[in-house]
């Protein structure tokens, strides 16, 4: 039998080929992208401004930074933009060159890849399933005090969908400052949280110069192909060092223009949040009724589920669902997530209904 490869959450083409399912019949619950797709207003606007591609973008991205600053309620001089948050993760790690890094896990693998490239010693502090993947702040701070150049958090976290609240982050920042550690927070999924201000640390930017927050538009704004990411830090020297390392014009003219428009699209923001919050609550409630499944509190647009039925694996669930054109994320690829877990993101109501029925049928 052909060995099953490990699939990324958005590898629909590879999954379709392996399981002989038409790719256009697969609903991808693994990529965590807003099911509304690009804003209709933005599509029309971009189509009318394609001539922007004939000119260089503003090297300093002045207007875009002002829009981002207004959106995040911070100062424009604290903002940096880049070719996706992936570029900014890389720039941060390459610039700081940490010898020893503490990563809160299980989490996004890109952090580890970039840390390996600079030869950093990586220490993972694992969230505990027994605590529903909520961090013990005091224990984590005790670990930080052992001495780390860099501490990395994803908040809300991928794949657990758990989140730290702003006062907890402030406690961690105080500890990092005392220990001489720099804190990187990836807020890719924060706009999906029930209360953004409860989770986001943007209000702490001006008070802590040992902090950088990263975000992007791939997930909430359904624009992974745009490659627009942005970061915020009040450490002016570090920001200058980042800009020195960054290639000029790393974000194209159309991407910069799109960023200005999408972050001001209040109708799209409202529709997205209404959809995700409502459907997430509904899915969590219904799946929790299946007594062999454990559903964890979810702050992102995806939900982590543990299989408690002996002899049933996440691969079994994945393969049953993919034959119905429903592609969830088999979480066995998260090496530090012990046990059998799968993850699914929130899609359109009719798709969520199909997934719920598929899960119910499998465990019937």
């Amino acid at each position: 039998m052909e060995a099953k490869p490990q699939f990324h959450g958005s590898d629909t083409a590879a999954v379709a080929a392996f399981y002989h399912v038409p790719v256009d019949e697969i609903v991808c619950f693994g990529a965590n992208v807003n099911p509304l797709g690009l804003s209709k207003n933005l599509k029309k606007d971009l189509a009318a401004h394609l001539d922007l591609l004939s000119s260089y973008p503003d090297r300093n991205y002045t207007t875009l930074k002002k829009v981002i600053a207004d959106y995040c309620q911070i100062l424009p001089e604290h903002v940096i933009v880049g070719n996706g948050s992936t570029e900014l993760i890389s720039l941060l790690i390459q610039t700081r060159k940490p010898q020893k890094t503490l990563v809160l896990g299980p989490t996004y693998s890109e952090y580890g890849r970039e840390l390996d490239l600079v030869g950093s010693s990586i220490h993972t502090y694992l969230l505990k399933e027994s605590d529903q993947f909520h961090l013990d702040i005091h224990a984590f701070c005790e670990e930080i005090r052992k001495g780390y150049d860099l501490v990395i958090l994803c908040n809300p976290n991928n794949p657990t969908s758990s989140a730290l609240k702003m006062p907890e982050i402030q406690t961690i920042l105080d500890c990092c400052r005392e220990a001489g550690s720099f804190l990187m927070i990836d807020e890719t999924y924060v706009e999906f949280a029930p209360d953004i201000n409860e989770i986001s640390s943007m209000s702490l930017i001006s008070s802590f110069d040992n902090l950088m927050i990263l975000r992007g538009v791939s997930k909430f704004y359904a624009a992974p192909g745009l490659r627009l990411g942005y970061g915020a830090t009040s450490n002016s020297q570090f920001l200058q060092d980042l800009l020195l390392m960054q290639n000029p014009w790393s974000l194209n003219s159309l991407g910069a223009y799109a960023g200005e428009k999408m972050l001001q699209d209040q109708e799209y923001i409202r529709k997205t949040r209404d959809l995700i919050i409502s459907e997430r609550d509904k899915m969590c409630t219904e799946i929790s009724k299946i007594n062999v499944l454990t559903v964890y509190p979810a702050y992102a647009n995806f939900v982590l589920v543990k299989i408690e039925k002996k002899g049933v694996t996440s691969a079994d669930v994945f393969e049953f669902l993919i034959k119905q054109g429903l592609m969830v994320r088999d979480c066995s690829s998260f090496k530090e997530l012990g046990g059998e877990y799968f993850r699914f993101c929130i899609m359109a109501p009719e798709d969520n209904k199909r997934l719920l029925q598929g899960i119910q049928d499998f465990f019937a």
Side-chain angles (χ1 to χ4, degrees):
M1 183 177 176
E2 187 180 357
K4 180 194 168 195
Q6 286 190 343
F7 300 108
H8 181 269
S10 58
D11 282 343
T12 50
V15 168
F18 187 83
Y19 287 101
H20 308 292
V21 179
V23 68
D24 57 354
E25 293 181 11
I26 293 177
V27 180
C28 183
F29 289 87
N32 305 335
V33 173
N34 186 341
L36 294 181
L38 279 179
S39 161
K40 292 179 181 177
N41 293 335
L42 179 64
K43 287 182 181 180
K44 292 177 183 176
D45 209 343
L46 290 180
H49 288 83
L50 290 178
D51 284 345
L52 284 169
L53 294 174
S54 297
S55 60
Y56 283 95
D58 166 20
R59 190 177 182 125
N60 295 315
Y61 300 100
T62 306
T63 304
L64 176 58
K65 287 180 181 179
K66 175 64 167 60
V67 171
I68 291 170
D70 289 344
Y71 181 72
C72 297
Q73 298 183 302
I74 57 175
L75 298 174
E77 55 264 35
H78 293 163
V79 177
I80 182 173
V81 300
N83 191 245
S85 59
T86 303
E87 184 203 19
L88 298 177
I89 291 169
S90 179
L91 279 173
L92 185 152
I93 291 171
Q94 288 176 26
T95 302
R96 299 207 70 86
K97 292 185 172 57
Q99 292 185 349
K100 189 178 178 184
T101 303
L102 180 63
V103 179
L104 183 64
T107 197
Y108 182 45
S109 61
E110 186 65 21
Y111 312 141
R113 191 188 82 86
E114 292 294 339
L115 289 165
D116 283 338
L117 290 175
V118 298
S120 182
S121 172
I122 306 170
H123 300 255
T124 303
Y125 187 97
L126 287 176
L127 295 164
K128 296 179 181 177
E129 189 273 339
S130 58
D131 295 329
Q132 293 194 308
F133 298 108
H134 187 77
L135 180 64
D136 182 330
I137 300 297
H138 298 295
F140 189 59
C141 285
E142 284 300 309
E143 182 64 32
I144 291 171
R145 292 186 184 102
K146 294 178 182 179
Y148 293 91
D149 304 302
L150 178 63
V151 178
I152 296 178
L153 309 176
C154 182
N155 194 45
N157 187 46
N158 178 18
T160 60
S161 205
S162 54
L164 294 166
K165 296 181 179 177
M166 200 264 286
E168 295 174 308
I169 295 290
Q170 186 164 354
T171 299
I172 293 171
L173 272 166
D174 285 329
C175 179
C176 284
R177 186 152 60 184
E178 292 168 10
S181 303
F182 191 90
L183 179 64
M184 186 197 97
I185 303 177
D186 184 343
E187 288 193 350
T188 293
Y189 297 101
V190 76
E191 288 123 323
F192 295 110
D195 183 344
I196 299 172
N197 292 329
E198 182 182 46
I199 305 301
S200 177
S201 302
M202 283 293 181
S203 63
L204 300 175
I205 284 291
S206 61
S207 302
F208 291 89
D209 65 358
N210 63 324
L211 169 67
M212 186 169 187
I213 297 172
L214 303 179
R215 290 187 187 176
V217 300
S218 295
K219 306 301 185 180
F220 189 85
Y221 290 96
L226 196 63
R227 306 314 306 141
L228 166 58
Y230 58 94
T233 180
S234 62
N235 189 321
S236 56
Q237 183 56 60
F238 177 52
L239 194 55
Q240 288 305 310
D241 293 341
L242 286 172
L243 292 169
L244 189 64
M245 288 279 290
Q246 188 178 38
N247 289 327
W249 303 298
S250 64
L251 177 62
N252 65 69
S253 301
L254 206 58
Y257 180 80
E260 295 169 20
K261 298 303 176 182
M262 61 176 41
L263 296 181
Q264 298 179 83
D265 192 340
Q266 293 302 318
E267 181 186 8
Y268 180 86
I269 292 169
R270 178 187 57 77
K271 284 183 177 179
T272 296
R273 288 184 52 75
D274 286 349
L275 170 67
I276 298 299
I277 291 170
S278 171
E279 287 294 306
R280 179 175 57 206
D281 289 347
K282 188 186 303 180
M283 291 293 283
C284 287
T285 298
E286 292 303 315
I287 293 176
S288 293
K289 294 176 182 177
I290 302 173
N291 61 12
V292 293
L293 297 179
T294 297
V295 179
Y296 301 95
Y299 289 84
N301 65 324
F302 52 84
V303 179
L304 182 69
V305 181
K306 184 177 184 181
I307 303 165
E308 307 278 8
K309 188 172 183 179
K310 189 175 181 180
V312 176
T313 69
S314 54
D316 295 333
V317 175
F318 179 93
E319 293 186 354
F320 178 84
L321 293 172
I322 195 61
K323 290 172 184 176
Q324 301 175 51
L326 305 169
M327 179 179 160
V328 297
R329 179 70 185 269
D330 175 354
C331 289
S332 59
S333 59
F334 291 92
K335 301 299 183 185
E336 292 149 338
L337 192 63
E340 295 296 332
Y341 297 85
F342 65 93
R343 187 197 72 193
F344 66 88
C345 66
I346 304 303
M347 299 295 284
E350 60 273 20
D351 294 325
N352 296 332
K353 187 175 181 180
R354 282 184 60 205
L355 178 64
L356 176 60
Q357 186 64 58
I359 294 170
Q360 290 171 333
D361 289 347
F362 180 86
F363 288 101

